[in-house]
Amino acid sequence: MTQISEGRKFAYYAGMALIVVGFLLFVSVFVTGAMQFGDFTDFHGRAQSSMFRALGGMALMVGGSVLRTVGARGIAGSGVVLDPKRARRDLEPWSRMGGGMVKDALEEADVKLGGGQERVVMVKCRACGKLNEEDSKFCQECGQAI
Ligand SMILES: [Zn+2]
């Protein structure tokens, strides 16, 4: 049974944090831009710093989502390393989860369809009257052909 390793969990949450930081950095460009609207002192320097923050924020978001995908699916599972065997192992917790959900759904459907009230057709032996299962060829009691 493969569990998602601590390292992968860390990568996932670190990636999520990077996305948040990148997003805030990106948004801050517009917030400060709006606050300083109409103030043209050192316009060039501020425009440059805004651009760096916008680009840096985008880079952080992209890097963060890559890290998060790697954390969730593993190095091979997310396609960073081409290794089908490892990918299979990396994705095993997910496929197990998927299989479990399908199984749950099937079990639920079975309950709703009234599974368990299975009807067994019995055949009565002509010689002794014993009830035998439909597909049996000989009577369980007397051995007479059915
Ligand atoms: Zn019989």
Side-chain angles (χ1 to χ4, degrees), residues 125-130 132 139-144:
C125 171
R126 272 170 292 175
C128 69
K130 160 103 179 152
N132 290 280
C139 175
Q140 280 184 324
E141 193 72 23
C142 66
Q144 179 84 26

Side-chain angles (χ1 to χ4, degrees), residues 2-3 7 9-10 17 22 29-30 33 45 56 58-59 65 89 99 109 113 120 143 145:
T2 320
Q3 282 298 336
K9 278 182 193 162
F10 177 77
V29 174
F30 299 100
M58 278 198 287
S65 50
R89 208 173 51 220
L113 287 172
V120 181

Side-chain angles (χ1 to χ4, degrees), residues 88-125:
R88 208 179 142 83
R89 208 173 51 220
D90 280 350
L91 291 172
E92 204 265 331
W94 300 109
S95 52
R96 186 154 34 91
M97 198 166 78
M101 284 193 289
V102 169
K103 199 168 151 266
D104 288 350
L106 281 178
E107 274 168 11
E108 198 171 323
D110 192 40
V111 168
K112 284 191 184 129
L113 287 172
Q117 296 182 336
E118 200 181 338
R119 274 194 10 217
V120 181
V121 178
M122 304 296 271
V123 177
K124 205 174 203 173
C125 171

